[in-house]
Amino acid sequence: MAWTFKLVEGTTSTVDLNDRVTYFVNVGGFHAPPPPRRTSWGGESLNRHGADLVERVYDNRQIELNFQIKAGNASALGTAVQDVFAILRKADEYQRLGVGTLVRLDYQWEGGGSIVSFRVLEGMLDLGPQLHTPFLSPGTRNSQARLHIPAAPV
């Protein structure tokens, strides 16, 4: 049993980032620290000492997911990378232009339980420095892929 991490766009497009066939989340590779708080103060003037707390909200959560991408050949590896880029592009288009449908990151224990969803605002896929090294099988594996996602609650 393991955690599942899925990038889901609407109800039709899904990329399972821990399917253990093409994508493998590294041990300890999911980081979603609490979002930073943003506070607003008001009421300061020359006739008054201090200020009042007007609003307290949370900024977007910064999620990082470290995973591996494996494939049988260079073409399949390229397709797996393009699948992740395509769904991140859809998230960006929805956020900026209102085109398409909402993209979310679903996080769930395999086999059941509640789903924790994060609204993906945009994303950056870092393929790491090991993409073209002689130490790995050329073109079939990327062991240092890193996904950075600014996310909001769904």
Side-chain angles (χ1 to χ4, degrees):
M1 301 296 277
W3 292 100
T4 61
F5 299 91
K6 294 181 182 178
L7 285 171
V8 180
E9 187 237 344
T11 58
T12 58
S13 181
T14 301
V15 176
D16 188 347
L17 296 173
N18 198 25
D19 63 4
R20 294 183 302 283
V21 175
T22 304
Y23 306 100
F24 301 81
V25 173
N26 296 335
V27 175
F30 177 68
H31 304 284
R37 270 197 332 201
R38 182 180 45 195
T39 55
S40 297
W41 299 89
E44 289 184 284
S45 71
L46 293 174
N47 299 324
R48 181 168 183 226
H49 180 71
D52 294 326
L53 178 63
V54 176
E55 183 180 31
R56 182 180 297 145
V57 296
Y58 289 96
D59 280 334
N60 295 326
R61 185 183 300 259
Q62 300 296 320
I63 297 173
E64 186 174 298
L65 191 64
N66 299 315
F67 62 103
Q68 298 180 34
I69 306 172
K70 296 181 183 177
N73 55 46
S75 177
L77 180 67
T79 301
V81 170
Q82 288 176 351
D83 288 345
V84 176
F85 275 124
I87 203 159
L88 292 177
R89 185 186 69 248
K90 290 176 183 178
D92 183 58
E93 288 173 353
Y94 180 77
Q95 178 64 25
R96 288 184 309 110
L97 306 173
V99 176
T101 57
L102 176 77
V103 175
R104 66 184 193 275
L105 174 67
D106 287 348
Y107 172 55
Q108 179 185 23
W109 183 250
E110 188 177 64
S114 299
I115 297 173
V116 177
S117 295
F118 300 99
R119 178 179 171 186
V120 177
L121 302 177
E122 63 178 359
M124 184 182 79
L125 179 62
D126 178 8
L127 296 176
Q130 276 192 342
L131 187 58
H132 301 290
T133 66
F135 303 108
L136 299 175
S137 301
T140 61
R141 176 180 168 165
N142 183 334
S143 62
Q144 292 185 349
R146 182 174 297 131
L147 188 59
H148 302 277
I149 300 174
V154 173

